[in-house]
Amino acid sequence: MTILLIQVLLIAVVIVVAARLLRGQGARTQAIRRLGLLVFAAFAVWSILVPGVWTRIAHVVGVGRGTDLVLYALVVAFLSFTLTTYLRFRDFEARYTKLARRLALDEARAASPEHQD
C-alpha cells in the first residue's frame, strides 16, 4: 500500500484541526474560525471562476480528480463543523446545568421558613 501525499496532508490537517478545536475556547479560536470561513469563501469563489484549477492541484498532491480533492476538503470542513458544534452544545449544557442549580438553590432559600417574615 502506497501512502500518497494527499493522504498524509489530509491526516495532518484533521489532527491539527481537531487538536486546535479541542484546546481553544476564547476569542483567538473564534478569530481562527472566522479566518477559516473567509478562506473557504475565497476558495469557493476561486472554484467558480476557475474550475479546472482543482484538477491541477489534485494532480500535484496525488489525487486523480479535482472533484475528489474538493470532497476531501469538505470532509475536513464537516469534521471541523461537527466538532465545534459538539463543543458549543457541551458548553451550553454545562452553563444551563449551573444556572438551573443556582436558581433551584435561590428558590429553596427564598421558600424556607427562615427567610419568611
Side-chain angles (χ1 to χ4, degrees), residues 1-116:
M1 179 173 107
T2 358
I3 303 273
L4 299 175
L5 175 62
I6 188 65
Q7 291 170 318
V8 173
L9 182 65
L10 284 171
I11 291 169
V13 167
V14 167
I15 291 170
V16 167
V17 166
R20 181 66 191 128
L21 292 175
L22 285 174
R23 275 193 314 130
Q25 296 284 336
R28 181 177 176 179
T29 302
Q30 187 174 6
I32 290 171
R33 286 185 199 137
R34 287 182 179 162
L35 285 175
L37 179 61
L38 288 174
V39 169
F40 180 77
F43 278 130
V45 170
W46 190 29
S47 298
I48 293 167
L49 296 174
V50 190
V53 75
W54 290 108
T55 302
R56 285 177 281 190
I57 294 171
H59 289 295
V60 168
V61 296
V63 177
R65 301 180 308 164
T67 54
D68 293 336
L69 182 63
V70 171
L71 176 65
Y72 298 152
L74 289 175
V75 166
V76 171
F78 180 71
L79 172 68
S80 299
F81 173 76
T82 303
L83 190 58
T84 57
T85 302
Y86 166 74
L87 292 174
R88 192 173 333 131
F89 280 122
R90 187 179 71 178
D91 184 49
F92 285 152
E93 192 173 280
R95 288 181 186 186
Y96 290 144
T97 300
K98 188 175 182 180
L99 179 63
R101 287 178 183 159
R102 174 82 292 178
L103 186 61
L105 288 173
D106 289 347
E107 287 177 356
R109 281 190 200 115
S112 71
E114 300 167 0
H115 289 92
Q116 303 275 331

